[in-house]
Amino acid sequence: MPMFDKTRIRETLLAMERADIAAAQRSYDAYFGEATTAGDRVFDPEHAATVVRDRPVLERIEALEHEHEHHVQIIAATSFGPSVTVGPGAVVQIDDRFVVVAVPAPEFEYGEVRMIGISTRAPLFRAMKGLRLGDAFEFNHRTHAIRGLW
């Protein structure tokens, strides 16, 4: 059974969120920056009109940035101590897959183990909330077992 440094997992999740925030900021700056004065460039009113027309695009970029900022707050407020039951901050082995309960996150590597992040709003979390090592639960019409809990 693998051992996990949950502090390192927490830092990995934080780094992923911060990278997503930076990417959203770069997208916003690249899109909006063309319509403003930058260095020796002059304000382009035609492009500014396009930016106003494409405001929904900018709002989606801003929403993504705010979502990832919120994820950073959630991770910072979550205890990643040892877990006896499935709850926030737990690393759970479900059959042969690993999830960390904190925020939604794409698959990432921890040593030789691949895991994903899920939020406490995820249907998978709701199906296994409060369960212990060895417990089974139903999800998507299948029975799954909690084979590891950290």
Side-chain angles (χ1 to χ4, degrees):
M1 179 125 347
M3 287 301 300
F4 295 111
D5 176 352
K6 290 172 72 176
T7 301
R8 194 170 126 216
I9 292 170
R10 179 180 177 272
E11 291 304 317
T12 299
L13 289 171
L14 283 170
M16 291 168 58
E17 293 299 332
R18 288 180 181 130
D20 287 340
I21 291 168
Q25 290 170 340
R26 283 190 306 274
S27 293
Y28 188 87
D29 291 345
Y31 188 83
F32 190 70
E34 294 176 16
T36 61
T37 303
D40 59 352
R41 292 189 320 184
V42 178
F43 180 77
D44 178 358
E46 184 177 315
H47 187 73
T50 302
V51 169
V52 170
R53 184 191 73 227
D54 293 340
R55 184 176 178 151
V57 172
L58 294 175
E59 288 173 347
R60 282 194 299 275
I61 294 170
E62 287 176 357
L64 279 174
E65 182 178 356
H66 294 304
E67 178 181 341
H68 291 295
E69 288 169 347
H70 182 65
H71 288 175
V72 167
Q73 293 170 348
I74 290 170
I75 294 166
T78 300
S79 169
F80 281 82
S83 299
V84 177
T85 60
V86 176
V91 174
V92 186
Q93 181 181 357
I94 304 164
D95 301 323
D96 62 346
R97 297 178 189 251
F98 292 81
V99 299
V100 58
V101 180
V103 296
E107 190 174 67
F108 63 95
E109 288 186 22
Y110 176 90
E112 294 184 18
V113 174
R114 300 195 60 74
M115 59 180 62
I116 63 166
I118 63 170
S119 79
T120 56
R121 294 188 318 242
L124 176 60
F125 173 75
R126 290 195 304 267
M128 62 180 177
K129 179 180 178 182
L131 297 180
R132 296 176 175 271
L133 182 64
D135 287 346
F137 65 96
E138 293 288 321
F139 183 71
N140 284 344
H141 310 292
R142 292 184 53 211
T143 301
H144 302 277
I146 297 178
R147 304 213 184 278
L149 182 60
W150 297 266

